[in-house]
Amino acid sequence: MEKFTTLTATAAPFPQRNVDTDTIIRIERCTGTPKAELGKYAFEMARYLPGGAENPEFVLNQPRYRGAQILVCGEFFGTGSSREMAVWALAGMGIRCLIAPSFGQIFQGNCFQNGVLPITLPPASVAALMRQASAPGAGSFTVDLERQAVNGDIRFEIGARRKQMLLEGLDEIDLTLALEPKIAAFQDADRTRRPWIYGCTRS
Amino acid sequence: MAGRTLFDKVWDEHVIEDLGDGVQLLHVDRHLLNELSGHRGQLEIAKRGLAMRNPELSIGTLDHVVSTAPGRRGGPAPWADRMIEIFRAESRRAGVAVHDFGDDGQGIVHVIGPELGFTLPGVLLVCGDSHTCTHGALGALAWGIGTSELTHVLATQTLVQQKPRTMRVRFDGAVPRGVGAKDMILALIGKIGTAGGMGYAVEYAGEAIRALDLEGRMTVCNLSIELGAKIGMIAPDAKTFEYAKGRRYAPEGPQWNQALAHWQTLPSDADARFDAEHTLDCATLAPQITWGTSPEDVIGVDAIVPDAKPEALAYMGLAPGRPIAGTKVDRVFIGSCTNARLSDLRAAARIVRGRRVAAHVKAWVVPGSTRVKREAQAEGLDEVFRAAGFEWREPGCSMCVGANGDLVAPLERCVSTSNRNFVGRQGPQARTHLASPASAAAAAIAGEIADVRSF
């Protein structure tokens, strides 16, 4: 997984509430599109006009927000489907950090699996950052994961384990494989305690 | 010591290792695989040079990308056939039983899991699909996962999770005629919002929940994710045990007795405390229908369209201040993991019997599984639907998500028994109204959104 340490980048305002993962990436793009190509389909219904030309009104098509790597989002961003392609599509268009009052829970977990940092802040802080990102001549935002701070003085909370995994780019499967003896011991004891769990599909 | 909740009891007995900071390594008892999310995880572990750790704790089926056209033999297009082939081949290689075409167990993952007795009280079950919360209806701890976590489960039979807080929702009173499980849960989402359950594992309780059969309970738990909660559960009771008994993968003999004794200890203790509580009075509930582009945009079918969310109203082509009933519809879809079980089809057929679908409406029934289809046909329900002008199709996810190309055309209005009315969910510019199977049937007959209580 790609590490996340500090990020200084353009932040784009994305104030819509309840942005669902169907909106972030359409189902047709989840069935066969290679991961590396998903970026161009992120937000496709809003981002392109019928016929395929860019919609100039879509925020990430505006010259000042092109190449934004931070999205300041409305409440409950990433609600809905578990499709991890939503995170792959965002990452594919360069987004590395999302700031919102709240996130869809499965989506939020998927972000952490892909080196994308979802930051939860109180609504008032997000609103202030939204105004800042929208202001004419807004400069870059800086996100410092080690210090858990946005733009120097806005502190955010993150679990210690998730923080370490992002900072070091650790792979969760590798970490769990190292716990194999514990998994084996759990199953051994559990086979006595709950025998009906095991071997049910063997005919 | 304070009493423990159903959720706490099931969670705690799956903890392999405490990783600190509220994060725990949990054992996965049951993993359901479908061709769409499953094949990607299978390819991913192959790329890593890993094998599936416990193939015997998984089963697979085909649901998302299969054609649902009568007489179908595969996907709707070559790309789908290729995906199905990869899924079959990788499953065979790993030793996972796949419930394929022609097998009673082929169907929507969240329909077949309980039907096969693969889903049981107290199991920790996951699947690469957000509606995995459905399985909580049996007292299972179940939630949906993305590709990375799915790959983690294939490789390790575990998941690393942060323990959520607990919420209890009590549904009080008895539901009136014409109102059912779908209306109960939609009304709750309307009341507390799509973020109302965020960060919680929700337990549904109360008189109206106890009165539901298991299929109705599955409908309630299915929409937990639309409440913002990954997990929804209902305490197992005599109805649950009766439902599970004798099913294909359910325990038998002495193991059944041992399991039953264990399951009876699972319901929340009387003095268990929840981090949040809500109640909903069901006695005055009307049939529910959504008007906007989020499941929280919901009203009684006898109410007027609210003056709110102008973008949603514009997308839906609705004017505020007018009754929602009488809105002309083009499509009706009865199907999905929310509402495609036998009891759902019976409820719809009761409305349809002896009537005709309005001439301008194209109406579909897509049974949730091959078993549901077979049992419905044995009762003659297919004939009831066909005689009225419905299309009777093959089992799959179909028009709920459109992964197989079953779509509503742009600007068409569809009353759907599915779970999401998001912008573009059933197709670009498609307008979705979520409702119960009975309400959807009423809309098909009337040709417009209609109050099923007048049928």
Side-chain angles (χ1 to χ4, degrees):
Chain A
M1 189 174 77
E2 198 179 342
K3 287 182 189 177
F4 190 109
T5 51
T6 61
L7 174 68
T8 298
T10 301
F14 210 89
Q16 294 91 324
R17 288 180 64 237
N18 292 337
V19 172
D20 58 76
T21 52
D22 280 72
T23 295
I24 299 171
I25 191 79
R26 287 197 54 77
I27 190 69
E28 294 91 324
R29 309 302 176 191
C30 301
T31 52
T33 310
K35 191 171 173 177
E37 291 171 26
L38 285 169
K40 64 173 179 262
Y41 300 111
F43 300 114
E44 99 182 77
M45 288 184 290
R47 191 169 158 199
Y48 303 105
L49 296 168
E54 281 192 357
N55 175 2
E57 288 183 10
F58 182 69
V59 64
L60 295 169
N61 288 338
Q62 294 168 16
R64 60 178 293 199
Y65 295 121
R66 249 176 222 285
Q69 290 182 275
I70 301 168
L71 281 190
V72 185
C73 309
E75 197 189 335
F76 213 34
F77 187 89
T79 177
S81 152
S82 57
R83 60 189 70 170
E84 196 159 321
M85 296 81 195
V87 180
W88 298 346
L90 291 171
M93 74 182 303
I95 305 292
R96 292 297 313 279
C97 176
L98 303 158
I99 303 172
S102 53
F103 292 96
Q105 302 286 277
I106 302 175
F107 172 82
Q108 186 180 36
N110 288 341
C111 285
F112 284 112
Q113 299 283 347
N114 289 279
V116 173
L117 173 62
I119 297 176
T120 306
L121 285 174
S125 305
V126 176
L129 289 170
M130 191 84 72
R131 281 194 298 276
Q132 209 176 319
S134 311
S140 307
F141 279 25
T142 294
V143 176
D144 184 336
L145 177 56
E146 177 62 50
R147 293 186 47 242
Q148 296 180 217
V150 179
N151 295 346
D153 57 351
I154 303 172
R155 296 266 309 161
F156 62 88
E157 294 301 320
I158 180 171
R161 190 168 190 277
R162 282 177 158 171
K163 179 178 176 178
Q164 186 203 359
M165 291 189 63
L166 282 172
L167 284 173
E168 298 178 27
L170 299 177
D171 180 272
E172 194 149 71
I173 293 178
D174 289 344
L175 295 180
T176 302
L177 287 172
L179 296 170
E180 171 54 32
K182 304 235 178 197
I183 301 168
F186 176 93
Q187 286 191 343
D188 280 347
D190 201 33
R191 273 176 216 278
T192 310
R193 204 166 49 94
R194 301 185 307 154
W196 63 90
I197 296 299
Y198 297 89
C200 76
T201 63
R202 295 234 169 87
S203 46
Chain B
M1 194 177 113
R4 297 163 72 217
T5 65
L6 163 67
F7 164 77
D8 286 323
K9 292 179 194 182
V10 181
W11 178 284
D12 290 350
E13 72 180 2
H14 290 89
V15 175
I16 297 170
E17 180 81 346
D18 194 335
L19 303 174
D21 209 21
V23 178
Q24 294 175 314
L25 182 68
L26 301 173
H27 186 258
V28 173
D29 300 335
R30 298 281 182 266
H31 189 189
L32 267 168
L33 294 164
N34 69 53
E35 77 285 13
L36 178 57
S37 57
H39 93 283
R40 264 194 129 123
Q42 290 171 328
L43 294 179
E44 189 59 35
I45 57 163
K47 203 165 81 188
R48 286 167 170 259
L50 296 170
M52 240 178 117
R53 192 184 186 288
N54 290 102
E56 76 285 6
L57 299 182
S58 302
I59 59 167
T61 193
L62 309 175
D63 60 5
H64 274 69
V65 310
V66 298
S67 166
T68 61
R72 61 101 189 270
R73 309 173 69 97
W79 66 262
D81 290 330
R82 278 196 299 277
M83 186 186 293
I84 292 167
E85 253 334 295
I86 292 170
F87 180 67
R88 284 178 180 143
E90 290 298 320
S91 298
R92 203 160 39 235
R93 203 162 66 89
V96 174
V98 172
H99 294 278
D100 211 317
F101 298 132
D103 181 328
D104 238 23
Q106 182 273 324
I108 307 174
V109 274
H110 312 310
V111 175
I112 68 144
E115 224 172 52
L116 291 168
F118 186 69
T119 310
L120 295 169
V123 299
L124 193 156
L125 180 150
V126 297
C127 173
D129 188 279
S130 61
H131 290 104
T132 305
C133 46
T134 309
H135 305 262
L138 285 87
L141 176 56
W143 68 88
I145 54 179
T147 310
S148 296
E149 289 190 329
L150 193 156
T151 308
H152 190 279
V153 177
L154 294 177
T156 70
Q157 203 59 32
T158 67
L159 269 180
V160 176
Q161 290 289 299
Q162 180 95 37
K163 193 172 182 179
R165 290 167 290 166
T166 56
M167 175 187 287
R168 177 167 57 190
V169 180
R170 262 200 1 252
F171 289 86
D172 293 328
V175 296
R177 193 182 66 87
V179 176
K182 182 70 164 286
D183 305 297
M184 289 164 57
I185 188 67
L186 281 174
L188 177 70
I189 296 166
K191 184 178 177 186
I192 72 172
T194 51
M198 194 188 63
Y200 292 99
V202 179
E203 179 176 340
Y204 304 102
E207 181 190 347
I209 294 289
R210 299 264 72 92
L212 290 173
D213 63 16
L214 264 288
E215 296 189 350
R217 294 179 188 182
M218 289 176 212
T219 301
V220 170
C221 288
N222 176 271
L223 283 164
S224 299
I225 190 73
E226 269 57 65
L227 195 68
K230 285 196 332 189
I231 298 166
M233 303 175 83
I234 293 174
D237 60 11
K239 284 184 186 176
T240 318
F241 309 140
E242 190 190 333
Y243 175 92
K245 193 162 183 152
R247 292 187 182 264
R248 178 154 168 190
Y249 296 131
E252 295 172 325
Q255 281 202 0
W256 169 266
N257 295 331
Q258 193 181 353
L260 183 63
H262 180 67
W263 297 339
Q264 284 165 336
T265 69
L266 295 178
S268 295
D269 299 330
D271 58 343
R273 270 213 292 266
F274 294 80
D275 298 309
E277 299 245 20
H278 290 280
T279 57
L280 191 90
D281 177 18
C282 296
T284 56
L285 216 54
Q288 302 287 301
I289 186 136
T290 62
W291 54 266
T293 56
S294 161
E296 71 187 10
D297 302 338
V298 66
I299 50 177
V301 69
D302 50 2
I304 59 165
V305 176
D307 193 358
K309 300 193 183 180
E311 268 186 45
L313 286 177
Y315 179 84
M316 293 299 291
L318 293 174
R322 306 258 274 280
I324 188 106
T327 307
K328 195 176 164 201
V329 306
D330 308 294
R331 304 290 302 255
V332 166
F333 171 62
I334 297 174
S336 87
C337 59
T338 314
N339 280 130
R341 300 182 181 85
L342 187 60
S343 58
D344 298 315
L345 305 193
R346 284 177 181 158
R350 272 196 294 275
I351 303 300
V352 168
R353 192 181 297 274
R355 296 189 169 107
R356 288 286 306 168
V357 172
H360 66 276
V361 174
K362 193 170 169 192
W364 284 10
V365 180
V366 182
S369 71
T370 302
R371 175 172 171 159
V372 169
K373 183 183 169 217
R374 177 176 59 74
E375 290 181 342
Q377 288 179 175
E379 295 182 13
L381 301 187
D382 58 326
E383 278 312 312
V384 172
F385 286 116
R386 276 207 202 90
F390 276 85
E391 240 181 74
W392 177 254
R393 296 178 68 91
E394 298 289 340
C397 300
S398 187
M399 203 181 270
C400 171
V401 61
N404 68 343
D406 288 351
L407 294 173
V408 174
L411 302 180
E412 276 190 350
R413 188 178 300 284
C414 179
V415 174
S416 176
T417 66
S418 56
N419 39 57
R420 289 185 175 137
N421 53 343
F422 299 156
V423 168
R425 170 76 176 187
Q426 292 192 295
Q429 294 181 270
R431 295 162 168 170
T432 303
H433 295 272
L434 304 177
S436 73
S439 290
I445 303 300
E448 57 188 37
I449 293 173
D451 191 335
V452 67
R453 293 172 299 187
S454 65
F455 275 71

